[in-house]
Amino acid sequence: MLSEKTPSLSPLPSTRAPVPACRRTMSNEGSSSPDREDSPHSSPTDLMTLARQRLRNRWSTPPSRDSEGDEEYQLRWEGHGSQLTNMVTSLEDNEASSDVTVVTKGASIPSHRLVLAAASPFFCQILQGLPTSQHPVIVIKTAHPRHLRYLVSFCYTGTVTLHSHDLQHVLQLAEDLEIRGLKITLAEGRSSPSLATLAALHPRLFRPSSPITRFSFPQHLHRSSSVTPTPHGCSDAPANLKRNMSPSDKEGQSKKMKVEPLPMDSERRPHSNPSPYYIPPASAPPTLASSLFFKSTPGSPPNSAPPQSVGESFSLQGSSPSADDNKDQDSPGLSIVPSSRLLQPPSRSSSRPPSPQQDTISRSQSPASQIPTPVNRTVKESSMPSTPTTPSTPTARPEPGSSGVLGGSSGSRVLLWRFLLDLLHNPLYTPMYIRWLDRAGGVFRIMESDMVAQLWGMARKNQNMNYEKMSRGMRTYYKRGILFHIDGTKLIYRFNTNDPEIEQRMRYYDLTQASSEGEVSSEQNTLSSILPPSNLAPPTSSVTSAQATALENIYSNPLFRDMAQLPHSLLYEPYISFFRKTSHSELY
DNA sequence: CAAAGTTTTCCTGGTT
DNA sequence: TAACCAGGAAAACTTT
């Protein structure tokens, strides 16, 4: 792309005042202050501007002359603006580089944070605080895939062609998402009653001010838009996106934004019966392997409780925090799925204040600590600081009548079933190596059998481990009712989620993941209750029914509940192609 | 050290 | 043929 236009070289007029050779100044177009340029908190929009300015700096040195009188030259990138525009436009088709996914009913649109943030303060507000290592998934639940696609495409290209019957919906969605610069004008010499109606419905879009760029339009309409980035990045985010917004402030807002939890599993629902509350696949493209998710606070069922702030960064809340959320199905429910939900590698547990149950977990087999890192598969004696095979504080033996999966002397051992369960909750390994098909039902699939076996071997410090041996170990669980193989499938197993300890452990994951959203303090007590000092004791009743309901709602996947009804082709379909097929086939 | 539980290793045989 | 699955048997290992 850059080769199309090469920088031109021209001698600078020697009459310019000399400037120290080491000093760079902004081009005559650039005007941002240095301190802003260096700000670590630049918004994506700022970054866009900054990128342009830096490019200018790179290609355009100030006209100057050093003390020895040498001439200086200015390198100018002809067509810089259009080049950047073309680059941004070309990004639309570059899924590989996408760093955010916008999802609606059954459709996923890989996108780029920079583009979304530049086009919408709404997206900007969401994305600006997220670490670049995460791949957030933003779910606009009630948006039609086609409409959302129009708008995302508009964000890239600044132009979009759509049918007139979609216009009203697209405009409404654009307003909800605060897409910048969308502006409609009557085509020259044309008048349209529908435009008048739209103007009444969307007066903001019909402001006669602001510059206009060209739009493609159906025959009877011509709309224009202007991209008017604000100098302060996300500062012009709509009021309802500001943090600490009181419920009363949101009264009268036409849209309701909800933060809702997402399932870890890809969920599918027949197209014939789309529900406004259908939660589309939360899984992102392959790059999501290490991503985590936001979800609602424990105790806040998705559809009934007031949405909580996400990561304390902002508050998205409808005008009514009550059950009317379910009634307003025209408003796009919003689910934000960035990364800090699942269990973290060892560093995370150390960042939290210790709690009784956490102590128990780390003594026995911290979910994170018992799983080796995928890169360090070297020698048997290699330092695997996390492998808790070293005996520590003795743990209590199971009560005589306990029906838990533990027989007795495994309290501080790395057990295979625990290891698998941990893998399934560690974003480093799921969904790439192993993933849930139906978490509520305990059904999972091993995606990379060799890799999982190697990881197991690392955990056990056994270089000779392979899937043959590991699977033999898994088969020993059949008789004990811990694990089962799904007949007729390959590499698909099911945990007995009725087993008290498995259930307890999965609930622990739920709450631990929830804790990573910033509500650590409020969840400490819950955690300390759910995992008593003896990790063999059944879960206490400290987890409220509301929490349990919320967690069940998060993960339940009716499509996978009855495995017998699923065609094997679906079960065997690799995750990645599954995801992409869904996203592509349903968008167009 | 013994007992109990868990996993590993090896094996035969089967299916896809 | 490769990969996966089922399960028996015995050894090895860990925990109590």
Side-chain angles (χ1 to χ4, degrees):
Chain A
M1 184 186 78
L2 295 181
S3 61
E4 297 173 10
K5 293 274 186 177
T6 54
S8 62
L9 187 65
S10 60
L12 294 169
S14 57
T15 56
R16 300 295 297 262
V19 175
C22 60
R23 180 172 166 240
R24 282 192 161 184
T25 61
M26 307 296 290
S27 71
N28 54 356
E29 298 173 83
S31 61
S32 70
S33 61
D35 52 347
R36 182 179 162 204
E37 176 173 340
D38 295 337
S39 169
H41 304 296
S42 298
S43 70
T45 306
D46 293 332
L47 295 177
M48 188 71 141
T49 306
L50 184 59
R52 298 178 73 115
Q53 289 170 346
R54 283 184 171 160
L55 281 173
R56 287 193 194 108
N57 290 344
R58 178 173 300 174
W59 293 113
S60 175
T61 57
S64 62
R65 180 192 291 266
D66 66 13
S67 55
E68 273 109 33
D70 290 340
E71 278 190 336
E72 292 189 343
Y73 293 86
Q74 183 180 67
L75 304 179
R76 189 176 297 280
W77 180 0
E78 299 292 344
H80 165 265
S82 60
Q83 290 289 332
L84 273 186
T85 301
N86 291 339
M87 182 193 70
V88 171
T89 301
S90 68
L91 283 176
E92 185 180 6
D93 297 323
N94 189 349
E95 289 186 22
S97 65
S98 73
D99 53 6
V100 61
T101 300
V102 184
V103 175
T104 186
K105 302 169 188 171
S108 304
I109 308 171
S111 308
H112 297 79
R113 299 186 194 195
L114 191 67
V115 175
L116 296 184
S120 158
F122 171 78
F123 285 125
C124 181
Q125 189 81 7
I126 292 174
L127 297 168
Q128 64 177 347
L130 299 180
T132 55
S133 60
Q134 300 177 354
H135 187 117
V137 177
I138 301 174
V139 180
I140 314 296
K141 286 174 58 180
T142 58
H144 190 284
R146 190 171 64 250
H147 302 156
L148 188 59
R149 186 68 189 184
Y150 281 144
L151 286 178
V152 171
S153 181
F154 171 72
C155 293
Y156 280 89
T157 64
T159 178
V160 68
T161 302
L162 72 168
H163 294 295
S164 57
H165 55 78
D166 285 329
L167 185 58
Q168 166 67 26
H169 302 288
V170 171
L171 293 181
Q172 180 61 55
L173 184 60
E175 268 202 336
D176 289 336
L177 300 182
E178 296 294 332
I179 301 294
R180 274 194 182 114
L182 199 63
K183 191 171 186 307
I184 297 176
T185 58
L186 286 172
E188 291 178 13
R190 290 191 175 185
S191 176
S192 165
S194 58
L195 263 188
T197 304
L198 290 173
L201 291 171
H202 306 279
R204 188 177 65 83
L205 301 180
F206 286 81
R207 275 188 310 230
S209 59
S210 70
I212 291 174
T213 56
R214 193 159 49 82
F215 256 81
S216 301
F217 247 71
Q219 300 136 356
H220 67 290
L221 291 176
H222 179 271
R223 78 176 177 183
S224 303
S225 81
S226 65
V227 178
T228 54
T230 64
H232 302 298
C234 302
S235 61
D236 59 344
N240 61 321
L241 297 178
K242 302 292 188 183
R243 65 174 76 185
N244 301 327
M245 185 176 181
S246 68
S248 60
D249 295 333
K250 289 165 283 231
E251 300 260 344
Q253 296 247 355
S254 62
K255 58 190 168 190
K256 290 184 178 180
M257 299 299 182
K258 295 190 297 184
V259 178
E260 292 213 358
L262 278 170
M264 295 170 55
D265 307 317
S266 297
E267 292 192 356
R268 291 166 84 154
R269 180 165 291 198
H271 303 271
S272 57
N273 186 25
S275 159
Y277 293 93
Y278 163 53
I279 300 177
S283 45
T287 52
L288 187 61
S290 60
S291 294
L292 304 158
F293 306 88
F294 279 155
K295 69 175 184 179
S296 64
T297 315
S300 299
N303 296 330
S304 61
Q308 306 295 312
S309 64
V310 176
E312 297 294 316
S313 61
F314 57 89
S315 174
L316 300 172
Q317 187 161 347
S319 56
S320 168
S322 66
D324 328 313
D325 290 350
N326 283 340
K327 300 171 187 172
D328 189 10
Q329 301 189 351
D330 291 332
S331 301
L334 174 72
S335 299
I336 301 158
V337 194
S339 356
S340 16
R341 196 170 80 162
L342 301 180
L343 288 180
Q344 302 277 355
S347 58
R348 186 188 165 278
S349 59
S350 62
S351 65
R352 269 199 310 154
S355 62
Q357 77 288 4
Q358 186 178 5
D359 184 42
T360 302
I361 286 294
S362 54
R363 265 191 283 119
S364 57
Q365 68 298 314
S366 166
S369 65
Q370 98 179 38
I371 303 173
T373 58
V375 274
N376 286 337
R377 39 195 178 117
T378 50
V379 289
K380 191 171 181 176
E381 287 74 25
S382 68
S383 59
M384 298 230 312
S386 53
T387 310
T389 49
T390 307
S392 56
T393 309
T395 55
R397 293 184 68 92
E399 297 171 11
S402 171
S403 61
V405 294
L406 287 185
S409 61
S410 57
S412 54
R413 257 181 112 171
V414 187
L415 299 184
L416 181 52
W417 70 269
R418 289 176 182 161
F419 169 82
L420 293 172
L421 211 49
D422 293 341
L423 281 190
L424 283 162
H425 291 87
N426 191 319
L428 289 175
Y429 309 101
T430 183
M432 296 304 287
Y433 300 151
I434 187 172
R435 68 177 299 254
W436 290 112
L437 295 182
D438 172 14
R439 188 183 183 276
V443 181
F444 66 95
R445 181 189 165 147
I446 296 174
M447 311 299 291
E448 299 286 342
S449 58
D450 290 340
M451 191 63 203
V452 172
Q454 283 197 35
L455 291 170
W456 172 236
M458 292 167 65
R460 295 296 296 247
K461 298 182 178 177
N462 181 353
Q463 271 189 307
N464 300 319
M465 181 54 62
N466 55 31
Y467 181 70
E468 193 76 18
K469 296 174 183 174
M470 190 190 79
S471 63
R472 182 69 192 95
M474 295 170 68
R475 287 196 293 274
T476 64
Y477 289 147
Y478 297 169
K479 283 184 178 178
R480 290 190 279 162
I482 300 171
L483 191 68
F484 305 98
H485 179 248
I486 304 295
D487 288 342
T489 69
K490 286 187 175 181
L491 301 171
I492 298 180
Y493 296 85
R494 176 174 65 85
F495 277 109
N496 177 12
T497 52
N498 294 324
D499 183 277
E501 192 167 357
I502 291 177
E503 180 189 15
Q504 171 184 343
R505 196 166 188 82
M506 290 179 74
R507 204 174 301 185
Y508 167 78
Y509 287 126
D510 290 333
L511 295 180
T512 306
Q513 290 157 20
S515 75
S516 62
E517 298 159 24
E519 293 87 4
V520 172
S521 59
S522 64
E523 147 269 3
Q524 284 292 324
N525 292 335
T526 307
L527 274 181
S528 62
S529 305
I530 193 172
L531 281 180
S534 166
N535 63 345
L536 301 167
T540 70
S541 60
S542 301
V543 179
T544 66
S545 59
Q547 289 169 340
T549 303
L551 296 174
E552 279 188 20
N553 289 341
I554 291 166
Y555 296 114
S556 64
N557 186 342
L559 285 175
F560 289 104
R561 181 148 295 155
D562 187 358
M563 302 299 293
Q565 295 180 358
L566 287 177
H568 285 172
S569 59
L570 175 60
L571 299 179
Y572 284 102
E573 192 166 18
Y575 163 75
I576 292 173
S577 61
F578 169 81
F579 176 84
R580 291 194 164 160
K581 198 172 292 183
T582 300
S583 63
H584 284 159
S585 62
E586 297 181 5
L587 284 178
Y588 302 103

